[in-house]
Amino acid sequence: MELPAWFRMAMQQRLDAIYVQNDLDPELLRARTEEKMAFEALYSDMDETQFNRYLAWEDKHLFKRALEHERFYMKGVQDGAQMVSALLADKWIKIDPE
């Protein structure tokens, strides 16, 4: 089942709005600060070559994880849409329009 373009765009707009909210969330701001401090402490003793190798690996790793999460999310949306469609098509389920 292919999702319509308008639906994908609506979901992307919703995700964009969530990202903006997350940028302002105090708990996430605190977690980002703690992460940055831990990163600086952990890698302050690395030489430039080791550090650059780590950054190259990290970029690839995080990109792979983002693709995985995106696919899991979209599969969940598709499964949810199929479930709603099946429930609405079921002749035993009546939906009150009010």
Side-chain angles (χ1 to χ4, degrees):
M1 174 180 164
E2 180 68 25
L3 294 174
W6 66 264
F7 185 77
R8 288 193 309 266
M9 188 180 340
M11 295 306 298
Q12 185 62 55
Q13 288 173 350
R14 177 64 179 138
L15 287 174
D16 292 344
I18 292 169
Y19 285 128
V20 169
Q21 290 173 352
N22 285 343
D23 282 344
L24 304 174
D25 184 270
E27 185 178 11
L28 288 173
L29 288 172
R30 189 171 35 260
R32 285 185 197 106
T33 301
E34 292 172 0
E35 176 194 27
K36 182 179 178 184
M37 291 171 53
F39 178 84
E40 289 170 355
L42 183 61
Y43 296 105
S44 63
D45 294 332
M46 275 189 182
D47 67 31
E48 189 174 341
T49 301
Q50 290 173 319
F51 186 70
N52 288 334
R53 285 180 185 157
Y54 170 77
L55 289 179
W57 169 83
E58 184 183 44
D59 283 344
K60 291 177 182 2
H61 173 73
L62 293 176
F63 180 73
K64 176 197 66 137
R65 295 294 292 162
L67 286 176
E68 290 171 346
H69 289 147
E70 180 182 355
R71 297 226 169 99
F72 288 142
Y73 177 81
M74 288 309 295
K75 185 60 181 161
V77 169
Q78 289 173 341
D79 290 350
Q82 286 178 335
M83 183 176 66
V84 167
S85 176
L87 289 172
L88 291 175
D90 189 335
K91 64 181 177 184
W92 299 106
I93 296 177
K94 301 207 189 258
I95 297 180
D96 187 6
E98 295 179 14

